[in-house]
């Protein structure tokens, strides 16, 4: 049977081989790289390639449902728009039904 070499030189060589296989610790990013990444991050979607045009004809935009529940259930944000008004308008004068005119006795 062969005797294993246990000399200090052999043991140091094995240790150096083990260290060479060990993962190298990563250095933290510099402030300069963090700032440049933060500056370019909002522009990255603009630099992405545009999708290829599809062969199918464009579909018509669906009209929004009449009820608010149906608009919310559709999960389409374009259906959730504010009504168009021309600035701040005074409310229309209230018109009450004839049966409401007069004096009422409420207890």
């Amino acid at each position: 049977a062969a005797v294993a070499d246990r000399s200090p030189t052999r043991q140091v060589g094995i240790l150096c081989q083990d260290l060479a296989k060990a993962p190298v610790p990563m250095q933290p990013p510099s402030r300069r790289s963090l700032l440049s990444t933060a500056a370019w991050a909002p522009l990255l979607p603009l630099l992405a390639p545009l999708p290829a045009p599809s062969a199918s004809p464009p579909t018509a935009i669906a009209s929004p449902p009449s009820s608010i529940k149906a608009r919310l259930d559709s999960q389409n944000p374009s259906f959730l728009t504010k009504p168009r008004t021309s600035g701040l308008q005074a409310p229309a004068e209230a018109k009450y039904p004839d049966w409401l005119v007069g004096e009422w006795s409420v207890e």
Side-chain angles (χ1 to χ4, degrees):
V3 177
D5 185 11
R6 303 238 180 227
S7 67
T9 306
R10 175 76 178 143
Q11 289 177 355
V12 169
I14 293 172
L15 179 63
C16 289
Q17 288 175 355
D18 290 342
L19 287 176
K21 294 177 188 175
V24 178
M26 290 184 53
Q27 294 292 327
S30 66
R31 276 188 274 172
R32 179 179 289 169
S33 68
L34 288 175
L35 287 174
S36 66
T37 303
W40 281 98
L43 300 176
L44 290 178
L46 299 175
L47 301 175
L50 296 175
S54 62
S56 64
T59 58
I61 298 173
S63 62
S66 59
S67 72
I68 187 69
K69 181 181 182 332
R71 290 180 188 209
L72 291 172
D73 290 343
S74 72
Q75 296 183 353
N76 186 345
S78 65
F79 291 162
L80 304 176
T81 58
K82 292 182 179 180
R84 293 185 182 179
T85 60
S86 57
L88 298 174
Q89 296 176 347
E93 189 170 335
K95 181 171 180 170
Y96 299 105
D98 293 338
W99 57 266
L100 190 60
V101 179
E103 293 185 16
W104 289 72
S105 175
V106 180
E107 294 179 16

